[in-house]
Each structure stands twice: as C-alpha cells, then as structure tokens.
Amino acid sequence: RDAKMDVIKIEINAESNSISVWNNGKGIPVVMHKDENMYVPTMIFGHLLTSSNYNDEEEKVTGGRNGYGAKLCNIFSTKFTVETASKEYKRQFKQTWGNNMTKASDVKIKDFNGEDFTKVTFNPDLSKFKMDKLDEDIVGLLSRRAYDVAASTRGVKVFLNGTKIAVKNFKDYVELLVKNKEDDETTHKVVYENVSDRWEVAVTISDHGFQQVSFVNSIATTKGGRHVDYVTDLIVKQLIEILKKKNKGGVTIKPFQIKNHMWIFVNCLIVNPTFDSQTKENMTLQMKSFGSKCAFSEKFFNQIKNSGIVESVLSWAKFKARNELEKTSGKKQSKLKGVPKLEDANEAGGRNSINCTLILTEGDSAKTVAVAGLAIVGRDYYGVFPLRGKLLNVREATHKQILENQEINNLIKIIGLQYKKKYSTEQDMKTLRYGKVMIMT
C-alpha cells in the first residue's frame, strides 16, 4: 500500500448495475512492459497469470499474490474499465473490456500533470450469479465491505456513494458492531489496544459462544485463522490463572471453555500471508512467519480481567457444577442396585416409604448388631447402611469433593435426595425412599 494514499471512494448503483472503486494512491506505471509488449495496466487487469507479487523472498504485507482477484472481477463482468494516472510518468491510462474479458478496447493515453489515482468501474454479469439485479442483500454486503475497509486501513477516509463513512478507525468499527448486537438492557465493555503498527486487538464478552471479526492486510478473514488463534491463546493464558484462583474446588475450566465467552476483534498486518482458498476466509500461515509479535500491555490484561468475561465463565462453571450435582441426585424407586452393603427396607421407594427409617451405623460390626435387631422389628420399614470412618462435612466441602465422595453419593441414592430440593412438607417427604434417618453410634 502507498503510504500517501488516504482516500477511497466507492460507488454502488443498483439501478445501473454499476460499481466503482477509486483511490488516490500511487498510480500504476503507464508504460509498456518490457517483456510482455503491452501496457502494465493492461497486463495487470486483462491477462491471466501475471502479477508483481510472486517473489516469496520479498516481505510484503499485501493481500493478493497471483493477481487473480482483479482479473476474475473482469471475467465476471459485462463491462470492466480501468483508469489510472501517474505523475511520475506524466500519463493517464484508460481501457475497457467487455463480454467477460473476451473483448478489449484500444488503450487511451493522454498527458497528465495532476495527482495520482486509480479507478476501476465494472458491471457485474448478473446472469453468472443467477441474479436479475443487485438486490438489497448484495448491496448491504458490499456496503459492509466499505465499512470493513474504513476499519482495517489505517489513516484512510472511505466514502460510500458520496458520503464519508463515520468509522475513523478499528476501535470505532468494533464499538459499532458491538452496539448493534447488544440488547437494549445490555451493555458490553469493549477492551481495545493499539499494540503496534501491525496489531490492533479488541475484546468483549460474548453471549453466543466464541465470536471473531478479523482482518489480515485488510482482507476480512470471516473464518479466522492462526492470527486469531494466536491472539486468543495469549488472552486465555492470562485469564485461566485468575479463574483457577477464583474457582478453587469447582469444576475444571478448560481453555476452550473460556474462549466460548469471548468476542475477539483482530486487525493485523502479516508478512506474505497464506490462505486455504481464493476467498481468503481462513489465514493458514504459521505463527513463526507472521513477521511481528503481538505484545500486549499489562494494562490491557487488567482491563480484560474486569470486562465481565471472568464473571461470565465463573457463572457458567457454577451452572455446570449444579448440573453435575443434579446428575448424582437420587430418585424414588423400589429397587436400588449398585450400593454395596445396603440392607434395604422392603417398603423403601414404595407407597409407604415415608414411614421407612434408614439406620446409619459406624462400620460393618455395628451393622451386624442393627441387622440382628431387624429380626425383631422386621425388614419392611427399616434399612441399614454402614458408614466407613468419619463422614465428609459437606458444609465446607468443594463441588469436586462432594462429587468424588462415594459415601455421600450412596446416601443421596439410598434416601432419594434431589439436589436443591427443600423437604419442608409431608408431600415433599413422600418423594423420598426413606422418611426418617437414625444415626446409630
């Protein structure tokens, strides 16, 4: 990109089926190519397999490599016109192609002394896309791209159909997107950092799983890629340490689960980027070849810690813990399997379960004494279960300790207790397998 280029003008006319893009960057050299025997603009826009970006040894932070983008636009147009002017060569160039690049007009050259510019105007061949006109959806998509350019191209003013886009920089763009996605009652805090001239990153909380909006050399990578993974991993690494301290004894929180609460925005310049397809939706270049590092400040990480993401992850972790505990809940059933050493009452889990008593003993020897007593009172309404050693005090126990304590889980199953349920009425008590508990010590 020419550093002096600071204006881009985009015109989209659905009625005339015409689209044009103009910029005031350095014009294309208006000279004959020494090897191809044609003007350079003709070669760039009207001949396949020609490009100026083949050299992998040269470090470039541009998007295209093989020159296909502009030529494909020409091929899929009924009319395609290129105009460019070069102060260096004191010439202005104009040429028009038609009928999907199969016909080309004569080149028009005239003297020029003004400021450099390049303009491309084309009429899409709608029949190739099974369309009758540029409908609202397509115009909206193209307009969105104009906003993308305004956000990702630093120091450039972008005009759409004569109106300057009110997005001055990447931060403005992020806040605009977040504001449009927010509910009336919800406000998400956006944390932004201009890391360097090659990295801009913003983060906010996501209510809909992991989301990303990213650009590589002003190309919208809608599917993300390794640049997004790289930045996300740096942030998650910081957050996971905080969550470990705040979630002691809770469910294990994994990096991808933190990521699910993040909406991340990345605007970066990558040296010679590679993509998985011509549409360039996913950037595949290895991190070691990026050409720069994204070194966040301590202030940025501190702001993220207070952005609501940590609280959101902790809230999710508590919800998951409750669900796991609910899975261990008992239920009213007459036959209970899988609890060793339980002498179950015959009526436990039945219609008369509220009249049943569970006798808890200290160890197997005390159980023997209790079982002997059943010969007198009968086994219909009395059950016996031996406890091993000192029982876990659940008042101070962590979620993990409760889940992993076999005796607590056995008691929940035997009695038929349900997590978070209060047993304050007789009707509540009738949902249990046992209505009473006797501790025999």
Side-chain angles (χ1 to χ4, degrees):
R1 174 195 154 186
D2 177 10
K4 294 181 180 178
M5 189 268 287
D6 62 358
V7 177
I8 295 175
K9 296 178 182 178
I10 301 165
E11 299 286 337
I12 304 170
N13 191 323
E15 290 184 7
S16 63
N17 184 37
S18 173
I19 300 168
S20 70
V21 182
W22 177 99
N23 75 62
N24 65 342
K26 187 176 181 180
I28 300 167
V30 185
V31 291
M32 296 291 287
H33 192 276
K34 59 182 180 181
D35 297 323
E36 302 292 337
N37 194 31
M38 65 180 76
Y39 279 101
V40 171
T42 302
M43 183 188 76
I44 292 172
F45 291 96
H47 283 259
L48 294 173
L49 301 176
T50 56
S51 172
S52 62
N53 199 20
Y54 289 129
N55 186 4
D56 287 336
E57 299 300 319
E58 186 179 357
E59 292 191 350
K60 291 186 177 182
V61 288
T62 54
R65 289 171 59 80
N66 303 312
Y68 282 128
K71 299 177 187 71
L72 286 170
C73 185
N74 194 345
I75 289 168
F76 283 94
S77 296
T78 56
K79 185 179 179 182
F80 185 94
T81 301
V82 174
E83 298 171 77
T84 189
S86 173
K87 198 173 186 179
E88 180 182 351
Y89 294 93
K90 298 180 179 179
R91 284 177 168 185
Q92 183 173 330
F93 170 100
K94 183 176 182 179
Q95 187 173 19
T96 299
W97 288 262
N99 199 19
N100 310 108
M101 209 174 83
T102 59
K103 296 179 180 178
S105 71
D106 293 335
V107 173
K108 295 180 180 179
I109 303 289
K110 63 181 182 180
D111 294 337
F112 181 78
N113 292 312
E115 297 299 321
D116 287 32
F117 75 89
T118 299
K119 182 180 182 181
V120 174
T121 306
F122 62 98
N123 302 97
D125 187 348
L126 299 176
S127 64
K128 292 286 191 290
F129 304 98
K130 299 180 180 179
M131 295 169 59
D132 298 320
K133 62 177 183 177
L134 293 175
D135 57 34
E136 286 185 14
D137 290 341
I138 291 297
V139 172
L141 187 65
L142 295 172
S143 300
R144 161 69 187 264
R145 182 58 188 145
Y147 278 81
D148 291 348
V149 171
S152 60
T153 314
R154 298 192 189 201
V156 175
K157 298 181 286 291
V158 178
F159 292 81
L160 176 61
N161 293 335
T163 303
K164 184 180 176 182
I165 290 177
V167 172
K168 297 178 182 177
N169 48 49
F170 188 59
K171 186 180 181 182
D172 283 353
Y173 177 81
V174 171
E175 290 176 345
L176 182 65
L177 281 182
V178 173
K179 186 178 180 181
N180 286 340
K181 285 286 183 78
E182 286 175 348
D183 299 328
D184 292 338
E185 299 176 359
T186 307
T187 302
H188 293 324
K189 180 181 179 182
V190 175
V191 180
Y192 165 85
E193 178 155 277
N194 183 2
V195 181
S196 66
D197 60 349
R198 292 198 176 188
W199 291 93
E200 286 181 278
V201 176
V203 184
T204 190
I205 189 172
S206 171
D207 301 320
H208 307 286
F210 178 71
Q211 299 180 80
Q212 68 86 27
V213 175
S214 59
F215 300 95
V216 172
N217 304 352
S218 291
I219 296 168
T221 43
T222 54
K223 293 182 180 177
R226 288 188 170 139
H227 58 310
V228 176
D229 295 339
Y230 165 59
V231 169
T232 304
D233 290 345
L234 288 174
I235 296 169
V236 168
K237 188 178 178 182
Q238 291 287 324
L239 292 178
I240 203 162
E241 294 304 317
I242 301 165
L243 287 162
K244 281 179 181 177
K245 294 175 183 176
K246 293 194 173 188
N247 190 47
K248 286 182 180 178
V251 294
T252 302
I253 299 173
K254 297 178 180 178
F256 81 90
Q257 292 163 335
I258 300 173
K259 187 177 172 182
N260 284 338
H261 295 262
M262 292 168 57
W263 188 3
I264 194 158
F265 304 83
V266 180
N267 183 29
C268 60
L269 296 176
I270 300 290
V271 171
N272 301 337
T274 56
F275 304 88
D276 64 354
S277 69
Q278 177 62 27
T279 54
K280 298 174 182 169
E281 297 168 309
N282 182 37
M283 204 279 290
T284 57
L285 189 70
Q286 295 280 359
M287 187 190 78
K288 63 182 180 182
S289 304
F290 284 1
S292 63
K293 290 185 178 181
C294 184
F296 292 116
S297 67
E298 194 66 33
K299 180 183 177 183
F300 179 74
F301 286 128
N302 288 334
Q303 288 178 325
I304 290 178
K305 293 170 189 176
N306 299 315
S307 66
I309 294 174
V310 170
E311 288 73 18
S312 179
V313 175
L314 288 173
S315 178
W316 167 84
K318 288 177 183 176
F319 175 76
K320 186 181 180 186
R322 284 199 300 269
N323 281 348
E324 289 185 358
L325 285 171
E326 284 172 2
K327 288 177 184 177
T328 66
S329 293
K331 59 182 178 179
K332 190 174 182 179
Q333 55 187 19
S334 55
K335 292 183 179 179
L336 190 63
K337 296 179 180 179
V339 182
K341 299 184 181 182
L342 168 66
E343 297 287 342
D344 213 6
N346 295 331
E347 294 289 342
R351 287 183 301 173
N352 299 314
S353 61
I354 194 170
N355 298 319
C356 294
T357 300
L358 177 65
I359 302 171
L360 300 177
T361 67
E362 289 189 282
D364 292 343
S365 57
K367 174 192 171 185
T368 305
V369 176
V371 170
L374 295 183
I376 300 171
V377 298
R379 288 177 173 262
D380 287 343
Y381 295 100
Y382 290 91
V384 181
F385 183 66
L387 300 174
R388 294 179 299 170
K390 185 179 179 181
L391 190 65
L392 175 70
N393 184 346
V394 295
R395 182 185 291 275
E396 301 297 332
T398 65
H399 160 266
K400 185 177 180 183
Q401 286 174 315
I402 294 172
L403 273 181
E404 294 178 354
N405 190 283
Q406 193 60 50
E407 281 197 310
I408 294 293
N409 287 318
N410 282 338
L411 285 174
I412 290 170
K413 289 179 183 178
I414 295 167
I415 300 171
L417 294 166
Q418 293 178 32
Y419 184 67
K420 283 285 184 181
K421 184 176 177 68
K422 292 183 179 181
Y423 298 92
S424 53
T425 67
E426 185 176 336
Q427 203 60 36
D428 293 332
M429 299 296 288
K430 286 182 178 180
T431 64
L432 298 171
R433 297 187 75 251
Y434 284 88
K436 302 180 187 72
V437 174
M438 178 193 296
I439 301 173
M440 185 175 170
T441 59

